[in-house]
Amino acid sequence: MSRDPQRRIALFGGTFDPIHEGHVEIAARAREAMDLDEVIFLPCRISPHKIGVASAPPDDRLEMVRLATRGLPWASVDDFDLTSPPPSYSYLTAGEMARRFPGARLFWIMGADQWRALPDWREPERLAELVEFLVFSRDGSPQPRAGFRMTPLQGTHPASATAIRREIAAGKPAEWLDPAVAAHILQRGLYKA
Ligand code: ATP
């Protein structure tokens, strides 16, 4: 059976603070499962109330995503969220991508934790008109939601960005990091307590 000619692009928004092997692995799994042409990593702003001492500046988060994905021909990194004037909401980002890639079939990759939080996002219904959601189980199976196109995907990964920041702050070697990302963190002195 021949595949439909429509380009399949997944958007992967996240704080990537820092990007770790779990992020790259779920992107790779989504690509395989859905026969995606491209996964666009979109580092997003961190809302002011979440910025703690351990958060890395946007330019460093962007650079770390570039470093972690540099060998992947199907991955690209976009700074749209970081460079467009605030507020940067996911439905606006998806709208921009729909304009840039007319006729493409758009997906949005996330973990089940984000899927549960989606009703609290700004205008989730508008996002749902633009993208199909690809949801990884992470800490529980995603429940279907009326009006939202969602495909649950198998796979979780033990890495957690919060745990990585804690380990670095405690002076321990962090697991699950691309060596180039680990070197960047060290060189820039990120996540130190
Ligand atoms: P933290 O651990 O600090 O909460 P995070 O990695 O969950 O960070 P983001 O960088 O915003 O935060 O994650 C981007 C997306 O990747 C989210 O939808 C999240 O659910 C998903 N994700 C992150 N880590 C994993 C993992 N280990 N397994 C599956 N999904 C993950």
Side-chain angles (χ1 to χ4, degrees):
M1 210 174 75
S2 69
R3 176 186 183 286
D4 64 74
Q6 213 178 7
R7 219 172 140 63
R8 294 161 165 251
I9 301 174
L11 312 177
F12 188 11
T15 53
F16 304 118
D17 191 22
I19 187 167
H20 53 62
E21 286 174 12
H23 296 125
V24 174
E25 178 158 327
I26 66 168
R29 282 191 190 211
R31 177 189 172 247
E32 210 172 285
M34 305 304 292
D35 196 13
L36 302 171
D37 294 294
E38 187 176 356
V39 176
I40 306 179
F41 287 71
L42 285 149
C44 61
R45 284 174 208 278
I46 299 182
S47 53
H49 70 267
K50 270 189 81 180
I51 295 183
V53 276
S55 231
D59 284 352
D60 285 302
R61 291 188 288 115
L62 183 67
E63 177 60 15
M64 291 189 282
V65 177
R66 287 202 175 114
L67 290 169
T69 57
R70 68 203 179 292
L72 307 171
W74 46 267
S76 65
V77 187
D78 198 291
D79 65 358
F80 177 78
D81 259 23
L82 298 178
T83 54
S84 54
S88 48
Y89 297 125
S90 301
Y91 80 93
L92 295 173
T93 305
E96 168 66 17
M97 298 302 145
R99 275 187 291 279
R100 275 195 213 171
F101 305 105
R105 185 166 166 193
L106 294 182
F107 300 86
W108 191 286
I109 297 174
M110 60 172 58
D113 53 326
Q114 301 261 348
W115 173 251
R116 272 197 304 280
L118 196 59
D120 302 329
W121 290 18
R122 187 62 71 103
E123 311 266 9
E125 292 78 13
R126 288 176 74 176
L127 178 62
E129 282 168 17
L130 296 162
V131 302
E132 297 169 50
F133 297 92
L134 304 176
V135 182
F136 283 87
S137 35
R138 206 171 188 191
D139 55 355
S141 314
Q143 297 302 310
R145 188 171 288 139
F148 289 63
R149 295 163 293 164
M150 187 273 284
T151 304
L153 292 177
Q154 287 303 317
T156 185
H157 190 280
S160 146
T162 305
I164 290 170
R165 292 196 300 274
R166 280 204 199 110
E167 280 162 13
I168 295 170
K172 296 185 199 151
E175 282 186 294
W176 313 122
L177 291 175
D178 181 291
V181 171
H184 183 89
I185 291 172
L186 202 65
Q187 188 224 332
R188 296 272 297 127
L190 304 175
Y191 309 122
K192 284 199 181 143

